[in-house]
Amino acid sequence: MKREICIRVMFFASTADVVGKRTIEVLVPEGSKSKELFDKLIAEFPELSDKKLLFAVNQEYANGNEVLRDGDEVAIFTPVSGG
Amino acid sequence: MESRSVVNKKGKVDFWALTTEPLDVGRIARRIVPETCGAIVTLDGFVRRFTKGKETLYLVYEAYEAMALREMEKLIEQAHEKFDIESVSMVHRLGKLEIGETSVVISVAAPHRKAAFEACQWLIKELKRTVPIWKKEVYKDEEIWVEGEENFSENASDNDQP
């Protein structure tokens, strides 16, 4: 059995409203790619699937191929609207 | 206020920040006045009351602050590569903003005005596309987190605030 690693997941603005939390911790198998975590989160919070989503891993925009490491910081949010 | 500054390749200071405090546009614009420059172009983006005929009561801005500061830094670095400019100041306000209050200031100092205008225009366009900040429009009867359009296309929306 693979060891599990702990990922800190952050939500902002409308994704935080939908999920009802700003930060959660999620366990994923060691060696998981970010896409696997994103899919797991959308399955857990199906309301998110109605939205166009962007992802970040360790404060950089993610493409899904990043291999996650223990303690990584992942964020899920909608297209940005500052200015 | 979360602020960062760096001495850039031209030997001048770039400055970027996020703050919940009101923005003093003149102070940010005139933070750097290099003697090798002849123009500073400043964008003062402020909260508009009417968008597409709908009346905004106020806005609330939220940021993924650590990432936003990193993205702002990247934009300033890219602006130096693209344009003949010497110094950039970029500050975005967060929290609740009333109508007419300044939400974002971008000041670009350059030897000549053309590069400063072009860089300032490019910086606000890119900020609205890539820096993780969101605005909530609060209307009389509802509140809506604004979603940017096609975040990574070149055609970022110019219809939303400011």
Side-chain angles (χ1 to χ4, degrees):
Chain A
M1 177 154 168
K2 270 192 175 173
R3 200 168 74 91
E4 287 193 314
I5 54 174
C6 184
I7 308 297
R8 181 168 186 239
V9 180
M10 302 170 78
F11 304 93
F12 293 92
S14 60
T15 60
D17 284 358
V18 160
V19 169
K21 291 174 187 147
R22 305 197 73 87
T23 305
I24 61 172
E25 295 199 329
V26 180
L27 294 173
V28 296
E30 195 169 32
S32 293
K33 289 194 171 179
S34 56
K35 174 80 163 63
E36 296 167 60
L37 172 60
F38 305 154
D39 289 346
K40 180 186 166 102
L41 289 163
I42 290 167
E44 190 171 338
F45 302 105
E47 310 90 327
L48 286 175
S49 60
D50 300 338
K51 299 181 177 298
K52 185 172 175 194
L53 296 172
L54 298 173
F55 302 93
V57 175
N58 295 331
Q59 303 165 7
E60 300 277 350
Y61 282 105
N63 61 24
N65 289 323
E66 297 80 9
V67 176
L68 297 174
R69 292 166 177 276
D70 193 44
D72 275 354
E73 178 177 301
V74 165
I76 300 186
F77 47 80
T78 55
V80 306
S81 57
Chain B
M1 160 141 34
E2 278 282 335
S3 67
R4 304 276 188 278
S5 58
V6 67
V7 176
N8 61 38
K9 287 176 186 164
K10 299 262 172 80
K12 309 300 190 305
V13 173
D14 293 323
F15 171 80
W16 60 104
L18 298 169
T19 181
T20 55
E21 297 297 313
L23 301 183
D24 181 336
V25 181
R27 192 154 162 241
I28 296 166
R30 284 259 156 181
R31 210 172 170 280
I32 308 291
V33 186
E35 294 187 342
T36 47
C37 289
I40 295 174
V41 168
T42 299
L43 170 75
D44 171 359
F46 59 88
V47 180
R48 185 171 50 235
R49 184 184 298 276
F50 293 102
T51 300
K52 294 172 188 164
K54 208 162 178 193
E55 183 172 4
T56 300
L57 298 182
Y58 61 89
L59 295 183
V60 178
Y61 285 92
E62 178 179 324
Y64 181 4
E65 294 191 23
M67 181 172 170
L69 288 164
R70 289 171 71 150
E71 291 294 320
M72 289 162 91
E73 179 174 15
K74 285 185 204 166
L75 291 184
I76 293 169
E77 279 175 12
Q78 290 170 35
H80 279 292
E81 287 166 18
K82 284 174 174 288
F83 306 98
D84 183 16
I85 59 174
E86 298 207 350
S87 174
V88 176
S89 295
M90 176 187 275
V91 185
H92 204 297
R93 192 170 160 198
L94 303 175
K96 181 181 176 182
L97 274 75
E98 305 291 346
I99 304 300
E101 286 196 293
T102 296
S103 56
V104 60
V105 177
I106 300 177
S107 277
V108 182
H112 302 283
R113 69 182 184 280
K114 185 165 183 279
F117 272 108
E118 289 173 355
C120 191
Q121 166 79 337
W122 183 85
L123 282 163
I124 184 63
K125 192 184 75 169
E126 291 299 299
L127 178 149
K128 290 167 73 89
R129 195 172 71 85
T130 66
V131 177
I133 298 173
W134 301 269
K135 70 168 68 75
K136 181 159 70 179
E137 293 264 8
V138 178
Y139 304 110
K140 196 174 175 186
D141 49 354
E142 62 177 342
E143 303 183 353
I144 296 172
W145 281 109
V146 179
E147 283 187 27
E149 292 174 19
E150 300 304 317
N151 190 272
F152 284 96
S153 79
E154 287 297 319
N155 305 315
S157 169
D158 264 336
N159 291 328
D160 56 342
Q161 304 262 9

